[in-house]
Amino acid sequence: MEVCTIGGFEQVGKNMTAVKIKDDVIIFDAGIYLPAIIEIQEEEAHEHIYNEKSLRRIGALPDDLVLDKYGWTSKVKAIVIGHAHLDHLGALPYLAHRYPQAEIIATPFTMAVLDEILEGEKIILKNRKRIIKEDSTYVLNGSSGQIKMEFVHTTHSTLQCVFIAMHTSEGTFFYALDFKFDNYPVIGDPPRYNKLRELGRRGIKILVLDALYSGAERRTPSERIARNLVEDAMSSVRDRKAAMIVTTFSSHISRLKSIVDFGKKTGRQIIFIGRSLNKYVTAAVKVGQCPFKKEIIMMKYRKQVDAFLKKVEKDRGRYLLVCTGHQAEPGSILDRIVKDETPLKLREGDNIIFCSSVIPDPVNINARDRMDKRLRKKGVRIQTDVHVSGHGAREDMRDLVILLKPKHIIPAHGTLQQETPLIELAGEMGYKFGETSHLSSNGKVLKFD
Amino acid sequence: MEVCTIGGFEQVGKNMTAVKIKDDVIIFDAGIYLPAIIEIQEEEAHEHIYNEKSLRRIGALPDDLVLDKYGWTSKVKAIVIGHAHLDHLGALPYLAHRYPQAEIIATPFTMAVLDEILEGEKIILKNRKRIIKEDSTYVLNGSSGQIKMEFVHTTHSTLQCVFIAMHTSEGTFFYALDFKFDNYPVIGDPPRYNKLRELGRRGIKILVLDALYSGAERRTPSERIARNLVEDAMSSVRDRKAAMIVTTFSSHISRLKSIVDFGKKTGRQIIFIGRSLNKYVTAAVKVGQCPFKKEIIMMKYRKQVDAFLKKVEKDRGRYLLVCTGHQAEPGSILDRIVKDETPLKLREGDNIIFCSSVIPDPVNINARDRMDKRLRKKGVRIQTDVHVSGHGAREDMRDLVILLKPKHIIPAHGTLQQETPLIELAGEMGYKFGETSHLSSNGKVLKFD
Amino acid sequence: MEVCTIGGFEQVGKNMTAVKIKDDVIIFDAGIYLPAIIEIQEEEAHEHIYNEKSLRRIGALPDDLVLDKYGWTSKVKAIVIGHAHLDHLGALPYLAHRYPQAEIIATPFTMAVLDEILEGEKIILKNRKRIIKEDSTYVLNGSSGQIKMEFVHTTHSTLQCVFIAMHTSEGTFFYALDFKFDNYPVIGDPPRYNKLRELGRRGIKILVLDALYSGAERRTPSERIARNLVEDAMSSVRDRKAAMIVTTFSSHISRLKSIVDFGKKTGRQIIFIGRSLNKYVTAAVKVGQCPFKKEIIMMKYRKQVDAFLKKVEKDRGRYLLVCTGHQAEPGSILDRIVKDETPLKLREGDNIIFCSSVIPDPVNINARDRMDKRLRKKGVRIQTDVHVSGHGAREDMRDLVILLKPKHIIPAHGTLQQETPLIELAGEMGYKFGETSHLSSNGKVLKFD
Amino acid sequence: MEVCTIGGFEQVGKNMTAVKIKDDVIIFDAGIYLPAIIEIQEEEAHEHIYNEKSLRRIGALPDDLVLDKYGWTSKVKAIVIGHAHLDHLGALPYLAHRYPQAEIIATPFTMAVLDEILEGEKIILKNRKRIIKEDSTYVLNGSSGQIKMEFVHTTHSTLQCVFIAMHTSEGTFFYALDFKFDNYPVIGDPPRYNKLRELGRRGIKILVLDALYSGAERRTPSERIARNLVEDAMSSVRDRKAAMIVTTFSSHISRLKSIVDFGKKTGRQIIFIGRSLNKYVTAAVKVGQCPFKKEIIMMKYRKQVDAFLKKVEKDRGRYLLVCTGHQAEPGSILDRIVKDETPLKLREGDNIIFCSSVIPDPVNINARDRMDKRLRKKGVRIQTDVHVSGHGAREDMRDLVILLKPKHIIPAHGTLQQETPLIELAGEMGYKFGETSHLSSNGKVLKFD
């Protein structure tokens, strides 16, 4: 078995891994690297056109051209997407055409999000698409024999995330990006501990593992905790005449559910603003996983939004606005509101709840610092960090390794600095760096007997 | 009105404030400074005798001798204790004799804890004791006219904590140590927002405020969050044959309730170990506030404990041990267990849950670092920071100030460095440092017209 | 004696203090608050006009209108400027007209810089100017009797900085902004320890003290250290065909001397670029304190600069460029060069030496982070933090207090958070907060018997 | 060529690397892991016996038994020691007997220190010893042909440190532990840049590199800077009747030279106290590299020391004491003095200068925090961090890589977390992780064609 760690092994983003068993290659994820796009937007004022060429040039795509070099390209039989986040899915529209024989395999929600993106970008893919359910199995007839994939439900921060256990004639490969062990998820079930233990008993050869927070010596708390924080933050807004805005991640359907549930108790009308929210909510509705669809109104286009914000300005206590822009991204709806670029002018007593944390990068820190200062100056009441991450930490990883007992561990989803603590954790558990635990780099091939 | 900030204005501990209205002096709190005692214990090997003289010498008592200098001592009419923590209550046994005319006023639980301490230390106080309920009022006939005290229920990290609003002929003094605004407490009610708003409307002259975490730009989460973390941590112990130890604060009855509630689900027998736990639980039982008293067995004496641990060693899956020692204090029961100084020898797969955070002091950091390393080496599964603080942060303080609209603010419960962020917050809200917001020092008198 | 702490007691910048002895008022410093100006520049794209009114509106001037309220304005006899930095001098052009009777008193260099600024801004002041030398004395005949001012040479990060000891009928006031104790300055003498000790023996009533780094438990190293670092950094540029740029503070004549001294050894022609550098160097030349004036060429205007950079582009090994822009300020010459907005296009092997530290503010951190990334991408070799601060730290302050033994201490030059460590240091040394050590706020009056 | 990274690749300490060329094995360094010894001392009160067996058990020796497993042991032809620090030299007395055919090769000072240690521990080694000078060459006739070793003088923090370039039939291996590029060393010459560039031109196959501070984006300043800091610190002790103690690293002969040079100016008699200082100074004298030997008096034994300190107590202004104990190690002479366990009782105005930094480990941080508090309480004037590290940082490494242009880079001297920034730096410079830059673990073999 050979593993090519194509992308996401030297940064957070553009995740992509290929596994070769004899003459069959299976790709896991094809994500985009958003910071590269944001950088180019900030550097250059003009409009950008995104296509494979321009995205490759700025480093926003995983460099899957290495597969050509290795002669793997024509052998790709399937591209499996673990969940619907852009750093796992967002490169697919630009790369899939290179693998015309490959099926695209994903859960219903993930596929629905892909379809939304393709429609938005006006890209048509010719690959066959195969929708698989969580906790189901799919058998692919490779030239090397049967390849059986088990899609094991797990918990993260969007809908229908799966671990993938791929059983082959050369052993079982286990792909575990992204996850945290959440025993009290807001939508859906807890992780399948028994299934994982059983797989561990049957034997795992290689585990590729989301190591992002392996340096944090804790378990990541449940989304239930975030739900409680949301309730507390929203119920503490007591002024019924003040504006009320909540900002969070557009793909985080559970979080949105909590916001809507407690939003209803305020008696305000709930408005979702922006294209990104629209995309994910539409996908959730399509697959019957949007419990709050009747409770909200969606607004997508800038004109519509600005006209509506005029109404909000006059009757601000009547609405609850939900939008993105929590990182103070320039041009986001929240950024425009805070800078008084829309008809809604925030004032003393108005409320903003940030269901997010500041991503610790100088750009975001600076942008949010300035946004928060502006809001304080206006007397806006802000609540921040009403949030719990969807990525597990060191103790989640320890538990997964205990359950699966893999022969080999390969940390993923981070820089080397973020991945090495998992190597150290593995060391505590008896793995030996360079023999049974491995650090890889983008484009490298690791071979296992 | 004059305010003498006797103790706790230059450190965390030995809280004590006196207020003079004409010829009447009322004292708020009389706490001890534990770090001074710990330091002396670590420096000198021999046994220590604690009495007023020795405790004064090492700086463990608030320096209330300044009241003699000011001629206030004989005018003290009452000593009011806000809640049952030692940094608010622990100096009283050694100081109360200096104020023979003063009543000691406290809620039932606080008074019961005082009685437990007095009994343990074999100290008899001659002062009259007056037990007042939360949300009740007490009128004291001073030489300056009636002094009406309202005891307003608040939320913190032990039972029956109160804010005290003291209405006098010279205006209303408000004492707000310690608190966080917890809308979902595990035992008891949320804070009395309406009462606070009403008091604010009637006018507050001076607010003395727990500023400990005024530098943290957030609200402190509810104890409900800690309860969820406890549930998650305890339910993740799946090995029914392994030892299971939970360590937390002995005065934190809500936390102990959560531990017992979820402990019962493990089917294990729940044992509380140690004198400190015994003291607080006994006090809670006395006042009818210990919902879990029938679910637990208490062990107090070292001999008894060690004999029992022999049984645990043989049948470790049968018990859930609850104890103190979360800061790895030398000689604590947890410290002794971890160092193999008891019959219970921890081994791979055993569990320790720390319902606490490491107090950020080099001594504790080092002690816990070594304890954790020892545990990791043995293969013990540890879960840390299963905890939420009982002290509010900047946004809790902002809310309290908005409700009370006091004329003057005096930060308390910290070093100057910990108190100054509250001055800055007050500045944001229109207070002017040196005019309406004030930093004080131990022993200083502030005068207000 | 009364002290009005007008500005610089709640931020770093706009330093201004007034002292009243009976009917005479003396003002110390009149500085500007640069961050307020920078903020307005970043927020609004259009050109800005700076006059008293607009600067007051954005909070860039110390609020000396409080002196009107107190009835002090007409009593101001003198405005003494301690040194030539803008946060001590920069507001004077806009405020001095309010005090027509007041003499402006400063050392030759400080006065020369003031003249340069006035000329640049086309402002004419009618106040009498009195140039005093370091280590000299000036007697002012006030209505309250003689006021004798001693100007004691001290060390900081520009030329001719002085402590001011003002002897009055009500005692001696000592103004100590800004300083570090530098025993090995590159230009000029070490501090006057004996003089300070003597003044201490004769008795100091009040010490107003630069507390900026009172939280750092060290002495600040000498400028000699910075000189060594400069030598090392510059001599490590071995490629004689690569571009070489050094950026530092324009007022830091000692640092510039070091840069020129070691620059000469490279054989390159040394060019100073920009108006700010020109201003300070011209002032230094005027007072005969610019030892390197013959070694450099100055370029002031953008056109001239860009034409010259065209030559540098072709013959980059021939020149050593010295400029400002070390904080990556937008529009600075360095910023323009790095962004390829000038004819000089940096490339692999070119060198930039930052004789400065990043000012720890999100705006600067972000700006420099992006500048550094750009440079790394081009392969430019950068050396950073070739710098030592001019502000003393905790141990410098300890030494000054030991020498002067003042009765009262008032920390200045920072936020409350930055000033409180000096209160704690004073506490270690026997001062009592609220009695002999004092925290003040902008506009407050402290009275001393 | 095969490289076995025996020790020091997962921690700071026990450095050891073996290189195999056909049937010849050369070992570089054989260091001890001091933290393991300190831990055992702190855990267990009784006296410890150190021999190979006990040291192996606690993990204090590099695990060179792997060489037996690989069949390399009998092929070891030489053990080369790069410099005289214990983490490079300290295991040799316990391991050398395993390689009876191997010569021990080192510079005169390094060999002299080894001899001192052997004598102190009463160990006799039968291996042949070969003393080589800096900047000389030694040819070893291996079974694989000639192996030519060049010993290139470099700068670090003790005497006679060398890089080793080993030219073999399979290419050149370069061993670069430890170093910083110091252009102004206090004793000896700057690094041999030209030699390094020439070696780079001739071709380096593998570079094993001290990566300890690869995460710090700077060059480490010169020892000249430390010398200036020492001068400043020592000259600021003005009280000629107070005690004066300087503490630093016993192997740091340049630093000791600075201390003695400026100590002489105080007119005090200079006394070196302790066995460790004695060991290194004796070795320096032996090789004619102790320029200050006539200026000092050495005291070695506790009785002698205590008797002498009695004299110091009575006439404290007469002496300058130099000792170790800067990390507040329990039982060190400094620790004993501070705790009043010697006849010298420190008091107000006495001086301690720490020519060292606190090693950032919870044990040291806590120990020094307590020592410093004790000293402050006594009124002792302390000066800390009068120090510059001997390990290079990221920019030193960048420069070395530019000079040598090795084909492969292997970071050493740290944990994986400390080594990965060098991998990232190498990435910036075009190296590819897993192909031309490599992370290894203790005991692993890397093979190079």
Side-chain angles (χ1 to χ4, degrees), chain C residues 310-348:
Chain C
K310 211 169 204 167
K311 285 172 61 182
V312 179
E313 170 67 15
K314 287 175 194 151
D315 199 4
R316 58 217 306 126
R318 203 172 145 196
Y319 304 98
L320 165 62
L321 309 183
V322 179
C323 61
T324 55
H326 42 84
Q327 301 302 318
E329 298 91 340
S332 65
I333 176 68
L334 188 60
D335 183 60
R336 289 174 55 229
I337 291 175
V338 176
K339 286 182 177 157
D340 283 341
E341 294 173 9
T342 78
L344 174 58
K345 311 299 177 194
L346 295 179
R347 61 190 191 208
E348 191 170 349

Side-chain angles (χ1 to χ4, degrees), chain D residues 48-335:
Chain D
H48 292 275
I49 297 156
Y50 299 119
N51 52 37
E52 185 185 349
K53 197 177 151 196
S54 70
L55 290 169
R56 273 203 202 278
R57 189 177 42 80
I58 62 173
L61 299 185
D63 183 17
D64 66 333
L65 300 180
V66 296
L67 298 187
D68 299 356
K69 199 178 73 180
Y70 299 141
W72 290 23
T73 307
S74 62
K75 298 173 180 164
V76 176
K77 298 292 186 306
I79 302 172
V80 188
I81 307 294
H83 67 281
H85 284 150
L86 290 180
D87 55 335
H88 296 257
L89 174 69
L92 192 58
Y94 307 100
L95 302 181
H97 70 92
R98 289 173 30 79
Y99 312 99
Q101 311 302 329
E103 291 182 278
I104 296 169
I105 304 177
T107 58
F109 178 71
T110 305
M111 199 67 91
V113 171
L114 174 62
D115 288 342
E116 287 293 313
I117 293 170
L118 290 170
E119 198 188 308
E121 300 291 316
K122 300 191 174 56
I123 295 174
I124 293 166
L125 293 185
K126 296 182 181 159
N127 306 61
R128 195 155 39 147
K129 292 179 192 163
R130 183 166 302 270
I131 293 170
I132 51 87
K133 294 219 170 128
E134 298 174 87
D135 300 317
S136 72
T137 295
Y138 175 61
V139 178
L140 194 142
N141 288 302
S143 51
S144 63
Q146 283 201 338
I147 294 174
K148 184 177 157 200
M149 292 194 229
E150 287 190 73
F151 301 87
V152 185
H153 162 76
T154 190
T155 43
H156 177 43
S157 54
T158 191
L159 295 176
Q160 300 181 342
C161 305
V162 288
F163 289 141
I164 302 132
M166 180 170 76
H167 308 286
T168 78
S169 59
E170 299 182 350
T172 297
F173 172 86
F174 199 99
Y175 188 75
L177 266 63
D178 301 348
F179 87 106
K180 70 171 172 184
F181 276 151
D182 186 344
N183 296 321
Y184 309 92
V186 168
I187 295 180
D189 296 334
R192 303 287 183 248
Y193 296 112
N194 289 334
K195 182 70 192 166
L196 295 171
R197 193 176 294 112
E198 183 207 316
L199 285 165
R201 247 183 251 123
R202 282 157 47 194
I204 303 291
K205 184 165 193 165
I206 298 164
L207 170 63
V208 173
L209 181 51
D210 168 7
L212 183 58
Y213 293 135
S214 56
E217 298 206 357
R218 50 170 173 79
R219 277 187 58 203
T220 300
S222 164
E223 178 64 16
R224 172 174 68 161
I225 299 293
R227 181 174 173 86
N228 286 338
L229 295 175
V230 167
E231 179 179 17
D232 200 5
M234 291 183 72
S235 71
S236 80
V237 175
R238 295 186 202 90
D239 182 348
R240 294 175 160 273
K241 299 205 166 155
M244 183 169 177
I245 300 175
V246 182
T247 175
T248 195
F249 301 88
S250 53
S251 62
H252 204 325
I253 306 297
S254 303
R255 187 70 52 80
L256 291 167
K257 178 179 187 313
S258 297
I259 292 166
V260 172
D261 286 350
F262 302 114
K264 275 164 30 185
K265 299 193 177 171
T266 66
R268 293 166 184 252
Q269 203 174 336
I270 305 169
I271 319 291
F272 277 36
I273 299 177
R275 282 189 296 175
S276 175
L277 269 172
N278 187 74
K279 198 184 303 176
Y280 283 97
V281 171
T282 302
V285 169
K286 271 190 197 166
V287 301
Q289 289 284 325
C290 185
F292 53 80
K293 70 176 172 183
K294 288 184 182 157
E295 320 287 351
I296 63 164
I297 295 169
M298 303 269 320
M299 304 229 171
K300 195 170 164 183
Y301 302 106
R302 181 182 282 219
K303 259 194 177 166
Q304 184 192 17
V305 169
D306 283 10
F308 167 70
L309 290 177
K310 211 171 205 166
K311 284 172 62 182
V312 178
E313 170 68 14
K314 285 176 193 150
D315 198 3
R316 57 214 308 126
R318 204 172 144 196
Y319 304 98
L320 165 61
L321 310 183
V322 179
C323 62
T324 56
H326 43 84
Q327 301 301 319
E329 298 91 341
S332 67
I333 176 68
L334 187 61
D335 183 60

Side-chain angles (χ1 to χ4, degrees), chain A residues 207-224:
Chain A
L207 171 63
V208 173
L209 180 52
D210 167 7
L212 182 59
Y213 292 136
S214 56
E217 300 206 354
R218 51 172 172 78
R219 277 185 59 200
T220 300
S222 165
E223 177 63 17
R224 173 174 67 162

Side-chain angles (χ1 to χ4, degrees), chain A residues 32-272:
Chain A
I32 209 155
Y33 185 54
L34 284 175
I37 295 175
I38 290 165
E39 196 180 328
I40 211 72
Q41 285 172 340
E42 297 202 336
E43 297 298 297
E44 304 171 19
H46 60 82
E47 274 293 302
H48 292 276
I49 297 158
Y50 300 119
N51 51 37
E52 186 184 348
K53 197 178 150 196
S54 70
L55 290 170
R56 272 203 204 276
R57 188 178 42 81
I58 62 174
L61 300 185
D63 183 17
D64 65 333
L65 301 179
V66 295
L67 298 187
D68 299 357
K69 196 178 75 180
Y70 299 141
W72 290 23
T73 308
S74 62
K75 296 174 183 164
V76 176
K77 298 293 186 305
I79 303 172
V80 189
I81 307 295
H83 66 280
H85 283 149
L86 290 179
D87 56 335
H88 296 257
L89 173 69
L92 193 56
Y94 307 100
L95 303 181
H97 70 92
R98 289 173 30 80
Y99 313 99
Q101 312 302 328
E103 291 183 277
I104 297 169
I105 305 177
T107 57
F109 178 71
T110 305
M111 199 66 90
V113 170
L114 175 61
D115 288 342
E116 287 293 313
I117 294 171
L118 290 170
E119 200 188 306
E121 299 292 315
K122 299 193 176 56
I123 295 174
I124 293 167
L125 294 184
K126 294 182 182 162
N127 306 61
R128 196 156 39 148
K129 292 179 191 163
R130 183 167 300 274
I131 293 170
I132 51 87
K133 294 219 169 126
E134 299 175 86
D135 301 316
S136 72
T137 295
Y138 174 64
V139 179
L140 194 142
N141 287 303
S143 52
S144 64
Q146 284 200 336
I147 294 174
K148 184 179 154 198
M149 293 193 227
E150 287 189 74
F151 301 87
V152 184
H153 162 76
T154 190
T155 43
H156 178 42
S157 55
T158 190
L159 295 176
Q160 300 183 342
C161 305
V162 289
F163 290 142
I164 302 132
M166 181 171 74
H167 307 286
T168 78
S169 59
E170 297 180 352
T172 297
F173 173 84
F174 198 100
Y175 188 75
L177 264 65
D178 303 344
F179 87 106
K180 71 173 172 184
F181 275 153
D182 187 343
N183 297 319
Y184 309 92
V186 166
I187 294 180
D189 295 334
R192 303 285 183 250
Y193 295 112
N194 288 335
K195 181 70 190 169
L196 296 170
R197 192 177 294 108
E198 185 207 315
L199 285 164
R201 247 184 248 120
R202 281 157 48 194
I204 303 290
K205 185 164 191 166
I206 299 163
L207 171 63
V208 173
L209 180 52
D210 167 7
L212 182 59
Y213 292 136
S214 56
E217 300 206 354
R218 51 172 172 78
R219 277 185 59 200
T220 300
S222 165
E223 177 63 17
R224 173 174 67 162
I225 299 294
R227 182 174 174 85
N228 287 338
L229 295 175
V230 168
E231 179 179 15
D232 200 4
M234 293 183 70
S235 70
S236 81
V237 176
R238 292 186 204 91
D239 181 348
R240 294 175 160 272
K241 298 201 168 158
M244 185 169 177
I245 300 175
V246 182
T247 175
T248 195
F249 302 89
S250 53
S251 63
H252 204 324
I253 306 297
S254 302
R255 187 68 53 80
L256 292 167
K257 178 180 188 311
S258 297
I259 292 166
V260 173
D261 287 349
F262 301 116
K264 277 165 28 185
K265 297 193 178 171
T266 66
R268 293 166 184 252
Q269 205 174 335
I270 305 169
I271 319 292
F272 277 36

Side-chain angles (χ1 to χ4, degrees), chain C residues 248-253 256 276-281 324 326:
Chain C
T248 194
F249 302 89
S250 54
S251 63
H252 204 325
I253 306 297
L256 291 168
S276 176
L277 270 171
N278 186 72
K279 198 183 303 176
Y280 282 97
V281 170
T324 55
H326 42 84

